[in-house]
Amino acid sequence: MRLSDLKPGETGVITKILGHGAFRKRVMEMGFVKGREVTMILNAPLQDPVKYSLMGYEVSLRRAEAQLIETVPVEEWEKHIEDKLHIDIETGEPDGSSVSKDKIINIALVGNPNCGKTSLFNIVSGAHEHVGNYAGVTVGAKAGTMKYKGYLFNVVDLPGTYSLSAYSPEELYVMRYLREETPDIIVNVVVASNLERNLYLTSELIDMNRSMVIALNMYDELEKSKSVLEYEQLGKMLGVPVVPTKAYSGWGIDKLLDTIIEVYELKSPDTRHIHIKMRPEVEDGVRTLVDSFKQDHTLSPKFSPRYLAIKMLEKDPEVERMLKDYSNYKIWCDIRDKANKKIEERLGDDANAIIASEKYGFIQGALAETFQNGEESSEKSTKIIDTFVTNKLFGFPIFLLVMWLMFWTTFQIGSYPMEWIESFVSWLSSEIGEYMADGPFKDLLLDGIIGGVGGVIVFLPNILILYAFISFMEDSGYMARVAFIMDKLMHKMGLHGKSFIPLVMGFGCNVPAIMSTRIIESQSSRLITILINPFISCSARIPIYVLLCGAFFPHYGAWVFTGLYVLGIIVAVLTAKMLRKFWFKADETPFVMELPPYRIPTAKATIRNMWSKAKQYLQKMGGIILVASVIIWALSYFPHYGIDDVPQNFYEKTVAEMPESTLDSYSQDELAEIIANEYQQENSIIGNIGKFVQPVMEPMDFGWKTCCSLLAGCAAKEVVVSTLGVLYVGDDDAELLADRLNTPSKTTGIPPFTPAIAIAFMVFVLLYFPCIASVVAVVKETGSWKYGLFTILYNTLLAWILSFISYRISLLVF
């Protein structure tokens, strides 16, 4: 019987893992080993993937992958198998190579995804990194420092990893960091309520023979379940001090830091190096390899010989790459092949499966002596919630409702604080305009700085609301469920289920979203996800949408918002299918993803995340947007022309084209000033640039000022609004930008924007080339400038086509 044959609520015992390569290694690391009970929970809304429960946590697999796992009913297994719990420990010599007597301690935080490493890092270092309740938030090492009791702690938060194998970018990164940087202390962060699965990584760190402390994080969840863990006894058995912590609140952190100092100073009574003994056939192969390694004095001492030997038996590609340049590599391969052949002949399975099974057996035995399971209230709550959010009837409607609510709240609720900031900016502009003497500096301050930066800062509340929603979905665990219910659709698009997480993160900012694609094991799916991510409407585009929706669609703003986001998703989907069909081969990478229990996000964590985003936004206001606004103002101000510099033919031509309402409303002197301002803008540096580009955008009736704003958006999409503010409001300080875009020009009688132009403009902004930071991220993450060039050219061409179509359709509607 295969795992895929189990019905909801049925339990089977794993007898064999079929398949090969990364899939087989990954599922064994996550606990799918011989003798393990697995319960089928439910199907995704589209019947694929399937959620299973084992070792106290939940994981999703596609049906095709579950088909590769053989199981038998529990009753049948109990008839033919003996109890194999065991604890077999061999004490080794402590490794003192990393001991230093100075007052600087280099610490590496290592743990499974979603174990609370980044929360711990934030508490210890005072940093404000993003924390999310799903795998893959930390996509690179983050460094911080703190002083404690006369010591300087250099803390590095490494990506979450289930093991130290080289089958994913995170695992490879962690392995290389631990090898090359050799931190003084490894802090292994484990989830107190899910010890059995988390301690597999601990067993591999023990093999490495490094100074280590275990942070037993989320200890409150273990207490709530009424479970009891003799963690001090567990620490003695593992040879590693264990310290309970609650990283979200800071409880237990001082004790953790004190223990780190004790281990660093070699004063911890619980510290000793152990060998996790395995089957004699495995130990024989390990011992022979270790003896051979020790004879080669050129072998790097940064990894223990036992760790290298075990990884060699597992045919780990990174260890193979490390050792292949040594002269004895062929001898080691021969030893490995003979040992593996002996293991398979005598034990009936390969070294990978046997080693994983033995380590889980050791962990199970250790917990049998130190852990008493209690109530599982959090597990019950998770099952109740999942009954609705992953249900085939309610799953998708709930997700769509959450997304619509996010956009509605961003637009409607955000409009109130937006109006307050807008009123303040208007008041400040009028006060400065009244009391300052006329001159270039006044023009710079009013038209450049306040007109540019002030026109963008009003959208800060909208962006904070958007990030509050995204933060809640991530911290609560709902984001992982979204990936679960979307996997089958993503698979049909030619993507991986995990691709959905970076795409949703793209609603916040495309740059970290592109970086977060490192959680995707498949190289082709990762590249496709990177290339389509710029089509996901980031928060930098929100000021443009809010501005134009407020001016032209005040009663339908939420629907226009939703329509734009949906359009971006549709374009991303079609592009992904095209890339998969014509550029990349079919992706057969398995979908194996932990589904963490639901957790109520703390107000502190949400506010910290919102403040972090607000600070980034304000820094952008005082940085790139301020500089860009000043540059745009300067380009529109120089060369500077006065009333006397306007040619007579330009004056007469403009007067002839002016509407009667303008001629009747202004005196001759006021008309001369209006015409001079028009001549100034048209003949400025930026005016010439805009008129050069305008013919390309003429089919959508984009004016030259509109074209200039699109060009300025290459720096940051918010600069589009600040550029419009400089160019359109600069000639009339009393009018707000939204009113100005909707008001007929004094010289032509035609408003700069109409509803049709607004729709076409927003579609173009949604799709055209991303900001410079996103292009750089694409190049960096793909390793090729060709992908960056593809993003610029393909996205812009697509934006022009769909913008033109949108404009023509809108003309029929409006």
Side-chain angles (χ1 to χ4, degrees), residues 563 565-575:
Y565 280 79
V566 169
L567 176 62
I569 293 169
I570 291 172
V571 171
V573 168
L574 295 177
T575 301

PDB file of all heavy atoms in Angstrom, residues 563 565-575:
ATOM      1  N   GLY A 563      -8.709  44.859  -9.415  1.00  0.00           N
ATOM      2  CA  GLY A 563      -8.538  44.566 -10.837  1.00  0.00           C
ATOM      3  C   GLY A 563      -7.093  44.679 -11.284  1.00  0.00           C
ATOM      4  O   GLY A 563      -6.604  43.839 -12.057  1.00  0.00           O
ATOM      5  N   TYR A 565      -4.371  44.334  -9.378  1.00  0.00           N
ATOM      6  CA  TYR A 565      -3.609  43.233  -8.798  1.00  0.00           C
ATOM      7  C   TYR A 565      -3.902  41.925  -9.528  1.00  0.00           C
ATOM      8  O   TYR A 565      -3.001  41.122  -9.776  1.00  0.00           O
ATOM      9  CB  TYR A 565      -3.920  43.101  -7.307  1.00  0.00           C
ATOM     10  CG  TYR A 565      -3.177  44.089  -6.440  1.00  0.00           C
ATOM     11  CD1 TYR A 565      -3.588  45.414  -6.329  1.00  0.00           C
ATOM     12  CD2 TYR A 565      -2.040  43.709  -5.735  1.00  0.00           C
ATOM     13  CE1 TYR A 565      -2.912  46.323  -5.535  1.00  0.00           C
ATOM     14  CE2 TYR A 565      -1.346  44.601  -4.943  1.00  0.00           C
ATOM     15  CZ  TYR A 565      -1.789  45.918  -4.846  1.00  0.00           C
ATOM     16  OH  TYR A 565      -1.104  46.806  -4.076  1.00  0.00           O
ATOM     17  N   VAL A 566      -5.171  41.716  -9.858  1.00  0.00           N
ATOM     18  CA  VAL A 566      -5.539  40.496 -10.589  1.00  0.00           C
ATOM     19  C   VAL A 566      -4.905  40.484 -11.974  1.00  0.00           C
ATOM     20  O   VAL A 566      -4.405  39.453 -12.440  1.00  0.00           O
ATOM     21  CB  VAL A 566      -7.077  40.378 -10.696  1.00  0.00           C
ATOM     22  CG1 VAL A 566      -7.463  39.270 -11.671  1.00  0.00           C
ATOM     23  CG2 VAL A 566      -7.686  40.100  -9.330  1.00  0.00           C
ATOM     24  N   LEU A 567      -4.881  41.634 -12.637  1.00  0.00           N
ATOM     25  CA  LEU A 567      -4.241  41.721 -13.953  1.00  0.00           C
ATOM     26  C   LEU A 567      -2.761  41.364 -13.856  1.00  0.00           C
ATOM     27  O   LEU A 567      -2.236  40.614 -14.689  1.00  0.00           O
ATOM     28  CB  LEU A 567      -4.406  43.127 -14.535  1.00  0.00           C
ATOM     29  CG  LEU A 567      -3.687  43.379 -15.870  1.00  0.00           C
ATOM     30  CD1 LEU A 567      -4.226  42.451 -16.959  1.00  0.00           C
ATOM     31  CD2 LEU A 567      -3.826  44.837 -16.297  1.00  0.00           C
ATOM     32  N   GLY A 568      -2.089  41.896 -12.844  1.00  0.00           N
ATOM     33  CA  GLY A 568      -0.680  41.554 -12.655  1.00  0.00           C
ATOM     34  C   GLY A 568      -0.475  40.072 -12.460  1.00  0.00           C
ATOM     35  O   GLY A 568       0.461  39.471 -13.007  1.00  0.00           O
ATOM     36  N   ILE A 569      -1.368  39.441 -11.680  1.00  0.00           N
ATOM     37  CA  ILE A 569      -1.268  37.998 -11.442  1.00  0.00           C
ATOM     38  C   ILE A 569      -1.510  37.219 -12.729  1.00  0.00           C
ATOM     39  O   ILE A 569      -0.800  36.250 -13.027  1.00  0.00           O
ATOM     40  CB  ILE A 569      -2.271  37.582 -10.345  1.00  0.00           C
ATOM     41  CG1 ILE A 569      -1.861  38.186  -9.003  1.00  0.00           C
ATOM     42  CG2 ILE A 569      -2.359  36.068 -10.243  1.00  0.00           C
ATOM     43  CD1 ILE A 569      -2.924  38.054  -7.918  1.00  0.00           C
ATOM     44  N   ILE A 570      -2.515  37.641 -13.518  1.00  0.00           N
ATOM     45  CA  ILE A 570      -2.813  36.951 -14.787  1.00  0.00           C
ATOM     46  C   ILE A 570      -1.619  37.034 -15.734  1.00  0.00           C
ATOM     47  O   ILE A 570      -1.222  36.037 -16.357  1.00  0.00           O
ATOM     48  CB  ILE A 570      -4.075  37.556 -15.438  1.00  0.00           C
ATOM     49  CG1 ILE A 570      -5.314  37.214 -14.613  1.00  0.00           C
ATOM     50  CG2 ILE A 570      -4.231  37.043 -16.872  1.00  0.00           C
ATOM     51  CD1 ILE A 570      -6.575  37.916 -15.074  1.00  0.00           C
ATOM     52  N   VAL A 571      -1.029  38.226 -15.843  1.00  0.00           N
ATOM     53  CA  VAL A 571       0.144  38.394 -16.713  1.00  0.00           C
ATOM     54  C   VAL A 571       1.298  37.526 -16.210  1.00  0.00           C
ATOM     55  O   VAL A 571       2.015  36.899 -17.002  1.00  0.00           O
ATOM     56  CB  VAL A 571       0.558  39.875 -16.776  1.00  0.00           C
ATOM     57  CG1 VAL A 571       1.897  40.029 -17.495  1.00  0.00           C
ATOM     58  CG2 VAL A 571      -0.519  40.701 -17.481  1.00  0.00           C
ATOM     59  N   ALA A 572       1.476  37.465 -14.895  1.00  0.00           N
ATOM     60  CA  ALA A 572       2.538  36.637 -14.322  1.00  0.00           C
ATOM     61  C   ALA A 572       2.309  35.167 -14.659  1.00  0.00           C
ATOM     62  O   ALA A 572       3.246  34.442 -15.030  1.00  0.00           O
ATOM     63  CB  ALA A 572       2.604  36.837 -12.809  1.00  0.00           C
ATOM     64  N   VAL A 573       1.059  34.728 -14.544  1.00  0.00           N
ATOM     65  CA  VAL A 573       0.724  33.325 -14.832  1.00  0.00           C
ATOM     66  C   VAL A 573       0.998  32.982 -16.294  1.00  0.00           C
ATOM     67  O   VAL A 573       1.635  31.963 -16.613  1.00  0.00           O
ATOM     68  CB  VAL A 573      -0.752  33.052 -14.484  1.00  0.00           C
ATOM     69  CG1 VAL A 573      -1.200  31.705 -15.043  1.00  0.00           C
ATOM     70  CG2 VAL A 573      -0.957  33.094 -12.987  1.00  0.00           C
ATOM     71  N   LEU A 574       0.515  33.818 -17.207  1.00  0.00           N
ATOM     72  CA  LEU A 574       0.706  33.553 -18.635  1.00  0.00           C
ATOM     73  C   LEU A 574       2.184  33.593 -19.011  1.00  0.00           C
ATOM     74  O   LEU A 574       2.653  32.797 -19.828  1.00  0.00           O
ATOM     75  CB  LEU A 574      -0.081  34.575 -19.462  1.00  0.00           C
ATOM     76  CG  LEU A 574      -1.612  34.510 -19.309  1.00  0.00           C
ATOM     77  CD1 LEU A 574      -2.271  35.618 -20.111  1.00  0.00           C
ATOM     78  CD2 LEU A 574      -2.134  33.141 -19.745  1.00  0.00           C
ATOM     79  N   THR A 575       2.923  34.522 -18.417  1.00  0.00           N
ATOM     80  CA  THR A 575       4.365  34.583 -18.673  1.00  0.00           C
ATOM     81  C   THR A 575       5.058  33.331 -18.165  1.00  0.00           C
ATOM     82  O   THR A 575       5.951  32.781 -18.823  1.00  0.00           O
ATOM     83  CB  THR A 575       4.974  35.828 -18.003  1.00  0.00           C
ATOM     84  OG1 THR A 575       4.344  37.006 -18.521  1.00  0.00           O
ATOM     85  CG2 THR A 575       6.472  35.912 -18.252  1.00  0.00           C
TER      86      THR A 575
END
